Amino acid sequence: MSVTEQPPPAPGPESDGDEAAERLRDRISADSLTTRRDYLRIVATVSGGLAIGGVGVAAGILHRHGDSESMPEPKRVADEMLPGESVAFRYPGDEDRALAVRLSDGTLVGYSAVCTHLACAVLWREDRGTDGELYCPCHEGVFDARTGEVTAGPPPRPLPRIFLTEQADGSVWAIATARSGETAREALCRQLGDSRPEMARQLGCPGVDRAAATERKRT
């Protein structure tokens, strides 16, 4: 029989003590209920915060890799990268996690290392297929290492690209970024803007001749 199922005490000298014990049990029960309510409230608050953060990432409210409207400064990623090697670095800003990979055929690829699902860290697993795979361990998200496209799991968008170049001395540099799903031409034209009209013209960026004509009229 539980404490709450005990029969009422018979009247007698010990009644006062029994009443005190009963009040103590009621207090403990009330405190336990309060503790449970506080716990549930904390869990609900934390869960709600995570959900809001996820919605923010999905809706574009929070910072996304490659959002800059200007061409970032080039950054040295590595002195040399051999096939099968990967390098974690920060680009274009100090808060932007990034990953460079030299695939088995020598191709250089670079991506944001922030999963497009809930912003967990993305890793490269070399032993998964010919090119390996980009993997988010938080919710089993998987991206194609050659294209950045989603191949499994909950991520809603491909990984944003980082454009890499290799110099004559073998060093690898990051030179520009792209938003998720944005082509190289779209990304470069957006970031070049009016700052480098000759390069923009070579790429065939829309509006570059019109912008140049407007600038000539001003001068």
Side-chain angles (χ1 to χ4, degrees):
M1 182 177 292
S2 67
V3 172
T4 56
E5 293 173 342
Q6 293 290 338
E14 298 181 357
S15 294
D16 292 341
D18 292 338
E19 289 177 3
E22 186 65 29
R23 286 196 297 270
L24 179 60
R25 285 196 295 270
D26 291 343
R27 176 63 183 273
I28 293 172
S29 298
D31 289 345
S32 298
L33 180 59
T34 301
T35 301
R36 287 196 297 272
R37 285 173 177 168
D38 289 342
Y39 173 77
L40 291 173
R41 185 173 66 251
I42 292 169
V43 170
T45 301
V46 173
S47 299
L50 292 174
I52 291 170
V55 171
V57 171
I61 297 171
L62 305 181
H63 171 77
R64 283 183 183 174
H65 198 106
D67 268 347
S68 173
E69 292 295 337
S70 60
M71 187 69 73
E73 290 295 321
K75 181 174 184 178
R76 182 189 288 265
V77 174
D79 293 335
E80 182 183 22
M81 285 187 66
L82 300 176
E85 289 185 343
S86 67
V87 175
F89 62 105
R90 301 275 177 156
Y91 188 79
D94 292 339
E95 74 282 5
D96 297 311
R97 300 192 302 273
L99 187 66
V101 178
R102 174 83 80 173
L103 301 179
S104 58
D105 65 358
T107 301
L108 276 171
V109 293
Y111 301 98
S112 163
V114 179
C115 183
T116 56
H117 179 219
L118 290 178
C120 291
V122 172
L123 312 171
W124 182 54
R125 300 201 292 192
E126 181 186 3
D127 59 344
R128 301 301 177 102
T130 304
D131 293 328
E133 69 180 17
L134 299 165
Y135 171 69
C136 175
C138 289
H139 301 94
E140 303 295 322
V142 181
F143 303 86
D144 187 288
R146 190 171 290 271
T147 66
E149 295 289 333
V150 179
T151 60
R157 297 179 307 280
L159 289 172
R161 294 291 299 267
I162 295 175
F163 303 110
L164 304 176
T165 184
E166 186 174 15
Q167 300 299 305
D169 63 358
S171 62
V172 176
W173 292 72
I175 57 172
T177 64
R179 293 169 177 164
S180 178
E182 192 175 38
T183 67
R185 181 172 174 271
E186 290 170 343
L188 292 174
C189 287
R190 173 175 56 80
Q191 293 171 81
L192 286 171
D194 299 332
S195 62
R196 302 182 188 178
E198 290 303 321
M199 186 180 297
R201 188 174 293 108
Q202 291 175 9
L203 289 171
C205 297
V208 64
D209 291 329
R210 185 165 57 253
T214 302
E215 185 62 27
R216 284 195 298 268
K217 288 179 180 179
R218 290 176 180 172
T219 58

